[in-house]
Amino acid sequence: MKLMYSPTSPYVRKAMVLAIERGLDRKIEKVAMTASPITENKALDKVNPLAKVPALELDNGMTLFDSPVICEYLDSKHRGDKVFPASGARRWKALRQQAIGDGILDAALLARYEGFMRPENLRWPDWAAGQKRKFTQALDLLEKEVKDLSGGLTIGHITIACALGYLDFRFGDMGWRTGRPKLAAWYDKFARRKSMQATIPPT
Amino acid sequence: MKLMYSPTSPYVRKAMVLAIERGLDRKIEKVAMTASPITENKALDKVNPLAKVPALELDNGMTLFDSPVICEYLDSKHRGDKVFPASGARRWKALRQQAIGDGILDAALLARYEGFMRPENLRWPDWAAGQKRKFTQALDLLEKEVKDLSGGLTIGHITIACALGYLDFRFGDMGWRTGRPKLAAWYDKFARRKSMQATIPPT
């Protein structure tokens, strides 16, 4: 299978962390793709009309996106412990955590497009502030719920770790660890995993 | 359970269509909420730090979001045919279709915020064009793949129908049916379902 890939995309990182954790990375051919909300990339559009990475092309030609779908598909392709719990309270907890992590990322990327990509004279401070409020509130919730990040590895843990790694990568100045010591301690331990070390975005 | 609700949100509509299709709507208490990317709503933030609807508060106090998680949860709470196929090719097809529908909505909402909410002097035509390209390409793909919208009801069908309904509601001028006769025919039939009729957004 072929993964439409960018080394700086935190959503791609989710898929790669899962793949490395469960020994699937050798089965994945990475295809480098530039994804931008502004500039057309016809090669990427052919695989994903929404023009985003990751997108996964299966050997039978089927294409999958977005990252939650790709991650659940990858999780069906190994025989180890599943990172998507099959059912019940454990599943809802993991999917809710994935939604928190993806929600932090969605808001952080919109704030970044506003503050870096958009021409300076067209920026709207209220928009950037609204997105920042979303991911700040989500971080505060994670600090309160940090005990829910213990136990066997789930897609919730992976997504939240990729989200925090993205904040370090693109929002280093905001100091997300300040006032959130438990979340910081959890992340700093999680980030030592081989899968996280192997997927650190290039500076 | 309590659903943080807005009658104009297409993501809320997904959850309500599913609930009506499977007889769960009587178990859902709708709590009217105004969600905006700009204006704070503390009542909503308490349930969902990402400040979006839908959010679902369970009787045990757990909160779920976003719409794919809520819909899968609701689907676990009835004994009828599941709209999330349990596994295999049918599941990936349904989840991929849900991602296409949600992707159309994500792009359409960003285009709408750009064109209606943002102060006129701060609008960036390249951004609006990029988002419109995403959902236009996704519509073209659906026209090609319309035969995959047959068969038993899935979350893919529901999501795509809610996305097309949203385009009628907010982007009536774009004429999405033009050049896409098969998709238009599929939607116009689907939209006659009681669940769709009961959830038409108010004008």
Side-chain angles (χ1 to χ4, degrees):
Chain A
M1 48 196 167
K2 291 180 189 172
L3 184 71
M4 307 307 123
Y5 174 91
S6 158
T8 56
S9 161
Y11 307 101
V12 168
R13 192 179 188 186
K14 287 172 60 183
M16 288 307 304
V17 168
L18 193 166
I20 294 168
E21 289 284 347
R22 293 300 183 256
L24 292 163
D25 47 320
R26 288 187 201 169
K27 296 187 180 169
I28 294 174
E29 179 188 340
K30 293 188 252 181
V31 181
M33 284 282 170
T34 309
S36 152
I38 303 299
T39 314
E40 202 167 357
N41 177 345
K42 285 189 200 280
L44 178 58
D45 291 353
K46 257 180 79 172
V47 184
N48 180 358
L50 302 166
K52 292 180 178 179
V53 291
L56 188 69
E57 192 178 317
L58 308 185
D59 296 339
N60 67 7
M62 191 184 198
T63 55
L64 292 180
F65 40 84
D66 47 3
S67 72
V69 181
I70 291 171
C71 287
E72 192 176 323
Y73 176 81
L74 292 176
D75 201 39
S76 76
K77 293 294 163 190
H78 67 83
R79 292 177 181 194
D81 289 343
K82 298 301 183 186
V83 302
F84 285 76
S87 62
R90 285 195 66 229
R91 184 170 180 89
W92 310 126
K93 193 167 90 169
L95 294 184
R96 175 181 185 273
Q97 288 174 334
Q98 178 175 227
I100 294 173
D102 283 337
I104 289 172
L105 285 172
D106 294 347
L109 265 88
L110 285 176
R112 187 170 157 80
Y113 292 144
E114 184 75 24
F116 288 82
M117 178 179 274
R118 183 179 289 263
E120 230 175 311
N121 60 322
L122 302 180
R123 293 178 190 168
W124 186 25
D126 292 2
W127 178 262
Q131 297 303 326
K132 197 171 175 193
R133 192 172 60 237
K134 285 175 195 279
F135 67 78
T136 302
Q137 290 181 163
L139 291 168
D140 290 340
L141 182 67
L142 291 175
E143 174 71 9
K144 275 187 212 160
E145 296 186 352
V146 80
K147 67 175 184 339
D148 290 338
L149 293 169
S150 57
L153 183 71
T154 74
I155 190 61
H157 307 169
I158 292 172
T159 306
I160 288 167
C162 290
L164 297 174
Y166 182 77
L167 295 180
D168 277 345
F169 178 49
R170 296 295 199 198
F171 290 82
D173 289 350
M174 81 172 268
W176 67 262
R177 287 171 179 79
T178 306
R180 301 182 190 103
K182 291 180 244 171
L183 186 62
W186 174 83
Y187 174 69
D188 292 340
K189 186 175 171 202
F190 194 95
R192 280 182 233 134
R193 297 177 87 104
K194 197 183 131 203
S195 59
M196 290 292 291
Q197 290 290 316
T199 56
I200 293 173
T203 44
Chain B
M1 48 195 165
K2 290 181 190 173
L3 183 70
M4 307 305 124
Y5 174 92
S6 157
T8 57
S9 162
Y11 307 102
V12 168
R13 192 179 189 187
K14 288 173 60 184
M16 288 308 302
V17 168
L18 193 166
I20 293 168
E21 289 284 347
R22 292 301 182 255
L24 292 164
D25 47 320
R26 287 186 201 170
K27 295 186 181 171
I28 294 174
E29 180 188 339
K30 294 189 253 180
V31 181
M33 284 282 172
T34 309
S36 152
I38 303 299
T39 313
E40 201 169 357
N41 177 345
K42 285 188 200 277
L44 178 57
D45 291 353
K46 256 181 79 171
V47 184
N48 180 357
L50 302 165
K52 291 179 178 177
V53 290
L56 188 69
E57 192 178 316
L58 307 186
D59 295 339
N60 67 9
M62 190 183 199
T63 54
L64 292 179
F65 40 84
D66 48 2
S67 72
V69 181
I70 291 170
C71 287
E72 192 176 323
Y73 176 81
L74 292 176
D75 202 39
S76 77
K77 293 294 162 190
H78 68 81
R79 292 176 180 194
D81 288 344
K82 297 301 181 186
V83 303
F84 284 77
S87 62
R90 285 195 67 230
R91 184 171 179 88
W92 310 127
K93 193 167 91 171
L95 293 185
R96 175 182 185 273
Q97 288 173 334
Q98 178 175 227
I100 294 173
D102 282 336
I104 289 172
L105 285 172
D106 294 346
L109 264 87
L110 285 176
R112 187 170 157 80
Y113 291 144
E114 185 75 23
F116 288 82
M117 179 180 271
R118 183 179 288 263
E120 231 175 314
N121 60 322
L122 302 180
R123 293 178 191 168
W124 186 24
D126 292 3
W127 178 262
Q131 297 303 326
K132 196 171 175 191
R133 192 170 63 238
K134 286 175 195 280
F135 68 77
T136 302
Q137 292 181 161
L139 291 168
D140 291 340
L141 182 67
L142 290 175
E143 175 71 9
K144 277 189 211 157
E145 297 186 352
V146 80
K147 67 174 184 339
D148 290 337
L149 292 170
S150 57
L153 183 71
T154 74
I155 190 61
H157 308 168
I158 292 172
T159 307
I160 289 167
C162 290
L164 297 174
Y166 183 76
L167 295 180
D168 277 346
F169 178 50
R170 296 295 200 198
F171 290 82
D173 290 351
M174 80 172 269
W176 67 263
R177 288 171 178 80
T178 306
R180 302 184 190 101
K182 290 181 246 172
L183 186 62
W186 174 83
Y187 175 70
D188 292 339
K189 186 175 171 203
F190 194 95
R192 279 182 235 134
R193 296 177 87 103
K194 196 185 132 204
S195 60
M196 290 292 290
Q197 290 290 317
T199 55
I200 293 173
T203 44

